Amino acid sequence: MSGFIPLIRFSLLFAITPILISTSGCAYHHSKSKNLTNTHRIPYPSIDIGLGEKLQPNENILAAQIAEQIGKSIRQKYTAGHALRDAHPKAHGCVRAEFHVSKSLPSNLAKGVFIPDKSYSAWIRFSNASGDVTQADNKKDARGMAIKILGVNGRKILENDDQAMTQDFIMINHPVFFVNEPQRYLSFIEDVNSKSMLKKLQIPFTLGLQGTINAVKASNSKISNPIQARYWSMVPYQLGLGADRQAVKYSARPCIPNKVAIPNKPSHDFLREALRKNLETSDACMEFLIQPRTTSKMLVEDSMTEWKEDKAPFYQIATIHIPKQIFDTPEQNEFCENLSFTPWHALPEHRPLGTINRLRKVIYENISTIRHEMNAVPRQEPQ
């Protein structure tokens, strides 16, 4: 196992947890006991036995403990009024988009927001995964794509935002996560946040062989432009309600792949520059894909194993049109930094599935509250 240690940049390992760690996050000065009380007020999700969900021991307690560990690290890292996201703090850009559902969508996929020939306005935030906002874009790292669809009618499943008119989809440019068990993830967070180098060197053993391999692969990518990468949800979701509901995963990819080389001497923020130059002169297009589960052997509780495309194909169900625009303005950047993304901003037809998603409900909610309270800005969904 010692051979993995040079491969793992521990800051990146902490950063590549967009599924678990909040896409919002930072600090306020409440005591730990009060914060734990806050996390326990967040209702823990029930499970869908019919789709294969299964609670792990003390899952809700471990979710609160993970949220508190992350919250503690955020309070130590940032000062009031300057709180950034704990993961994905460095954005390449937050852009306006149109999410258009395919007209000829088959009935088994036409659920929730996927109404044939329906168009929605949307915001999309592209980002590095590393928690280090100063990291140069040419460093190997996982990359994130968070979509917020607007104008979505119907009551949502997140209790504190059940009247919101938004639906979020959160993805990263790697198909699998690096942990399945809450206890293992809590131990990982404790190792990462420890001041002891011995504890940090223990991380590969905490994650285990497969978890370490997944983490290294996820954080080992370089891209030339955020809209030229492919992204995956990594974890499953429900599609539909009632007897015909099913488990699915999501993905997004460029409509026309264009393998532009990374510059020989890239600037510190070359991914933002590439996105800005692209959208100053032309529109961009991405496909939104869905992968229905084809066998019960594709476990909703296993986020570390890929659903192979030759066994469970992806189908394009929508087109994401990103119009030519000037997005890199102080006003738009500030607006987007105040947004919160969570897969629990969702209709019941798109309910998140599996342990990792259940943990995210508590973690995202708690850390989003922390960041907005610290920055003294309202936490609200856009209209």
Side-chain angles (χ1 to χ4, degrees):
M1 291 295 289
S2 62
F4 291 112
I5 293 173
L7 297 176
I8 300 176
R9 298 181 303 280
F10 299 115
S11 61
L12 285 184
L13 276 176
F14 179 70
I16 64 171
T17 55
I19 304 287
L20 258 180
I21 300 177
S22 168
T23 52
S24 312
C26 249
Y28 59 100
H29 57 278
H30 291 182
S31 68
K32 183 175 181 180
S33 60
K34 189 167 185 179
N35 286 330
L36 279 169
T37 302
N38 180 60
T39 58
H40 287 310
R41 284 200 301 264
I42 302 170
Y44 201 72
S46 58
I47 62 171
D48 188 332
I49 297 175
L51 288 179
E53 286 193 290
K54 183 179 180 181
L55 282 172
Q56 298 190 33
N58 300 317
E59 204 177 283
N60 61 330
I61 296 173
L62 291 167
Q65 292 174 345
I66 294 167
E68 295 313 313
Q69 284 286 331
I70 298 170
K72 180 181 178 181
S73 70
I74 293 169
R75 289 188 289 274
Q76 293 172 345
K77 184 174 182 179
Y78 295 111
T79 58
H82 301 281
L84 301 177
R85 289 166 166 82
D86 57 312
H88 294 261
K90 183 179 182 179
H92 308 312
C94 190
V95 301
R96 293 178 291 105
E98 180 187 73
F99 189 96
H100 181 75
V101 182
S102 301
K103 186 175 183 179
S104 58
L105 199 64
S107 59
N108 67 312
L109 301 180
K111 311 291 184 182
V113 297
F114 305 137
I115 302 170
D117 208 27
K118 172 78 172 178
S119 291
Y120 302 90
S121 296
W123 289 101
I124 301 177
R125 185 179 188 267
F126 297 100
S127 61
N128 282 342
S130 172
D132 180 6
V133 72
T134 66
Q135 177 174 285
D137 289 347
N138 68 332
K139 298 292 185 182
K140 292 180 179 180
D141 195 3
R143 319 290 171 169
M145 178 183 184
I147 306 171
K148 186 176 291 293
I149 296 175
L150 310 181
V152 178
N153 294 315
R155 189 168 184 172
K156 308 307 184 295
I157 54 180
L158 189 63
E159 294 84 358
N160 290 342
D161 274 324
D162 63 351
Q163 299 302 313
M165 299 287 287
T166 56
Q167 168 77 44
D168 292 358
F169 296 102
I170 298 175
M171 294 174 283
I172 196 168
N173 66 327
H174 191 66
V176 291
F177 199 52
F178 61 86
V179 71
N180 280 331
E181 303 91 353
Q183 182 59 64
R184 190 183 292 270
Y185 189 76
L186 176 60
S187 298
F188 165 70
I189 292 296
E190 290 172 343
D191 290 348
V192 168
N193 290 334
S194 174
K195 295 180 180 180
S196 167
M197 181 54 64
L198 184 61
K199 291 282 286 183
K200 293 184 184 297
L201 292 175
Q202 180 177 296
I203 289 175
F205 300 95
T206 298
L207 292 181
L209 177 60
Q210 189 58 52
T212 300
I213 291 172
N214 286 4
V216 171
K217 287 182 176 179
S219 62
N220 203 37
S221 72
K222 287 188 175 184
I223 63 174
S224 60
N225 190 318
I227 54 178
Q228 282 297 320
R230 183 171 179 183
Y231 303 87
W232 290 264
S233 65
M234 303 173 75
V235 289
Y237 295 83
Q238 179 175 312
L239 180 65
L241 297 171
D244 64 345
R245 71 195 185 284
Q246 58 184 314
V248 302
K249 291 184 180 181
Y250 300 113
S251 183
R253 66 187 179 195
C255 294
I256 303 175
N258 182 11
K259 293 186 178 180
V260 178
I262 297 174
N264 290 329
K265 295 182 179 180
S267 66
H268 188 273
D269 302 320
F270 86 91
L271 289 175
R272 174 176 283 268
E273 293 169 6
L275 184 62
R276 182 172 61 233
K277 290 177 181 178
N278 195 144
L279 294 180
E280 282 177 351
T281 58
S282 62
D283 296 358
C285 174
M286 300 187 76
E287 298 173 347
F288 188 83
L289 313 171
I290 194 168
Q291 183 186 34
R293 181 173 62 169
T294 55
T295 171
S296 59
K297 293 181 180 179
M298 296 175 175
L299 304 177
V300 299
E301 295 292 348
D302 182 5
S303 61
M304 296 174 64
T305 303
E306 184 177 1
W307 295 0
K308 296 296 185 181
E309 293 191 43
D310 60 345
K311 304 295 184 182
F314 277 95
Y315 301 93
Q316 182 184 351
I317 61 169
T319 300
I320 300 169
H321 174 238
I322 305 174
K324 184 172 70 172
Q325 60 189 275
I326 297 174
F327 68 83
D328 197 6
T329 66
E331 296 78 14
Q332 186 156 318
N333 289 335
E334 181 180 4
F335 165 78
C336 290
E337 284 310 300
N338 290 330
L339 293 178
S340 290
F341 294 90
T342 169
W344 291 88
H345 281 148
L347 291 168
E349 290 90 338
H350 305 296
R351 181 180 174 275
L353 296 174
T355 304
I356 300 305
N357 267 329
R358 293 193 296 273
L359 296 176
R360 293 165 76 188
K361 183 174 186 283
V362 175
I363 296 167
Y364 278 51
E365 180 80 354
N366 186 56
I367 299 177
S368 177
T369 300
I370 290 175
R371 179 167 68 97
H372 286 80
E373 287 189 5
M374 182 180 178
N375 287 338
V377 294
R379 191 167 69 98
Q380 59 190 18
E381 289 296 284
Q383 300 297 315

